Amino acid sequence: MFIWSKLWDHIKGKYEKNKKRTTVISIKKRSDFSTTGQWDVVTESNGKQGSSVFDAVMVCIGYLSESFLPLESFPGIKKFKGSYFHSRFYKHPDVFQGKRVLVVGMGNSGVDIAVEASHVAEKVMISTDRGAWALSRVFDNGYPWDMVFITRFMNLVRNSLPGPILGWMIANKMSQWFDHENYSLIPQDRRVMREPVLNDDLPSRIITGKITIRPKVKEFKENSVVFQNSSEEEPIDIIVFATGYTFSFPFLEESVLKVENKQASLYKYIFNPHLEKPTLAIVGLIKPFGAVMPVVEMQARWITRVFKGLCQLPPVTTMVKEVTKKKQKKIHWFGFSFDEVLKTDCLVYVDELASFIGSKPNLLALFFKEPKLALEIFFGPCTNYQYRLTGPGKWAEARNAILTQWDRTLKPIRTRVVEDSSNFFPYLLKIFGLFALFAALFLGFQ
């Protein structure tokens, strides 16, 4: 038994050879922290340590810093004579050439690896207990999925629907591409929303027999695996554990930040409510239902204003109450309920942070001033240009960027342009959109 030692040694050796970086050893409050909010930061570079004083610190390591590999949860793994490694160390499908491969876990990394392996391996299996919704990056009418799915209008509709109805609609939408039950992918618990798997090739690899979906692993043998509810042994050569990640902050004292059960008690996923001075911020410790970069950008904009004293945090009791509520992971009556505390509705979350700094667009005021722009903001993709129309960091070109974002999206693929026939239907949709916008605005969506 070995953990793909040659691959790991190669990666580690190359990394050590090219490593030229500064490592943070510790971040501690200064003795006068309650007055100054300053931090003593000890770093190490080329074997030498140094100490500096900072007025504020942003920790930006995210939640993908450490591989989560619970080998104790897999009986018989010590007897397994093949090779295994965590998905974090995967680099190229050549390692699977002619092999029988098992991927444990069905997140995006696991599925991507399984699909690549299926082109060169003798056999590929994915073991999953919970299942997952598989989603194509190419969504309705060939548009990018997030530009269609994450809009203010769609978000308003979703968050206004009872959970069971929304769950049924999501299941129906996902299965329009292919029936997840027939492909053994349907999620086990459909009351909560897990991160969907974004992969355009998965269903075709399954239906052609290149990938097989199997249940949870029961135990490993010397050269095989046995799955739950089965006594049959499946021969395998390589195991890829796509079992996710965990995170920790070893350079911080527990009194500053403590991680328990893969979560930290942070207000808005950023600030420890118990610090005397809000001069330490955690960036990116969040799993938004959507792209992460626009979210962390807004986090940074709010954080810097808090550091400067331009934005104030609410009382400690208010922050603690909100943190405690989030950690309870209750099933919501309306809208999405997520399966992890770190997961959140990215549009609602970013809107909230934007409102703190005065950058959230006021749709009601904007509609009477410039209805065309208001309609695009409400029905179109919720891109971060919207948060540059007003407030600190206002950008003069934000309006034009919003109105032309579809042009830039389609230009690279419209390489053969044909004359379009006139169609009255889009105008009817716009008229309907005006009524929907009015209704939403007067229901308090501002």
Side-chain angles (χ1 to χ4, degrees), residues 47-66:
K48 297 180 180 180
Q49 288 194 359
S51 179
S52 302
V53 177
F54 289 90
D55 295 321
V57 175
M58 296 170 69
V59 179
C60 311
I61 65 173
Y63 61 90
L64 302 174
S65 57
E66 300 175 18

Side-chain angles (χ1 to χ4, degrees), residues 125 150 189 214 251 282 355 376 437:
M125 298 180 289
I150 304 176
D189 186 356
R214 303 305 301 268
F251 44 80
I282 310 300
S355 68
E376 182 62 28
L437 178 60

Side-chain angles (χ1 to χ4, degrees), residues 102-115:
L102 171 66
V103 178
V104 178
M106 198 171 177
N108 279 285
S109 295
V111 170
D112 287 347
I113 292 171
V115 167

Side-chain angles (χ1 to χ4, degrees), residues 8 11 49 71 110 117 119 147 150 156 175 203 288 308:
W8 168 240
I11 295 171
Q49 288 194 359
L71 295 179
H119 291 279
M147 294 185 74
I150 304 176
L156 176 64
S175 289
K308 291 179 179 180

Side-chain angles (χ1 to χ4, degrees), residues 34 53 78 92 105 110 112-113 132 147 165 182 186 191 193 199 202 214 221 246 260 289 291 319 338 417 423 441:
S34 59
V53 177
K78 292 183 178 180
H92 198 276
D112 287 347
I113 292 171
M147 294 185 74
I165 294 177
N182 288 343
I186 193 163
R191 298 174 305 161
M193 189 65 186
N199 194 289
L202 179 61
R214 303 305 301 268
K221 303 289 187 178
T246 186
E260 292 181 304
F289 190 59
M319 293 190 286
F338 295 99
V417 180
N423 191 342
L441 292 173

